[in-house]
Amino acid sequence: MKPIETAQLPALQATDQSFAASIHEAWGVWMRLMQEDYLKAAFTKHEDAMAFAAKHARGGHRGEIRKMWVLVNETLGEAYALHGGGARPLEAVDLDFGHHLKMKRLRGEVLARLSDEELLALGLKRS
């Protein structure tokens, strides 16, 4: 079974280190699966959350859009949802798909450095 993709990820920030931060309003798109809600995406703009929820409707059900507050780590450029109950003391949120886009760019840079033979060994080819 494929794992559920959520907007939550482990934080890079150590809990015992200081960092510059600001609090921002955000909009989370929450999906329900197996009687449990999970954060699918988080956005700084309400319109972006609405568009995402409409585009990713499942079984006729749209995601629920909820206002949330995030603490933005200005030092590392990551955001944390301000709520309790998580297993980790600090859990990052992929605000506006910033983390996703950064990982996609990094993957592209790494793949660009590989030879055609190395790509073939990975089951990939240049496009």
Side-chain angles (χ1 to χ4, degrees):
M1 185 170 164
K2 183 179 173 187
I4 299 170
E5 286 185 32
T6 71
Q8 295 168 307
L9 52 133
L12 298 174
Q13 179 68 44
T15 55
D16 60 349
Q17 291 180 323
S18 310
F19 60 92
S22 56
I23 297 175
H24 294 272
E25 180 180 72
W27 301 95
V29 179
W30 296 83
M31 305 295 273
R32 188 157 193 76
L33 181 68
M34 307 282 288
Q35 307 301 322
E36 194 171 326
D37 289 344
Y38 64 94
L39 181 63
K40 183 68 175 170
F43 299 93
T44 53
K45 295 180 183 173
H46 187 259
E47 300 81 37
D48 292 343
M50 295 283 286
F52 181 88
K55 186 177 178 183
H56 292 86
R58 292 201 322 181
H61 295 97
R62 256 176 52 153
E64 181 183 347
I65 298 168
R66 299 180 195 163
K67 182 178 179 177
M68 58 191 290
W69 293 96
V70 293
L71 183 69
V72 176
N73 181 332
E74 306 294 346
T75 307
L76 291 178
E78 62 183 8
Y80 317 112
L82 294 177
H83 60 78
R88 295 180 288 255
L90 205 55
E91 188 164 58
V93 175
D94 191 7
L95 193 60
D96 295 322
F97 293 110
H99 177 78
H100 176 78
L101 295 173
K102 191 183 302 180
M103 291 297 109
K104 189 175 179 180
R105 188 188 78 244
L106 226 128
R107 180 180 188 271
E109 289 171 3
V110 169
L111 290 176
R113 290 188 223 143
L114 298 177
S115 69
D116 289 337
E117 292 80 20
E118 291 168 323
L119 287 171
L120 191 59
L122 293 171
L124 304 170
K125 62 181 178 180
R126 292 205 197 282
S127 47

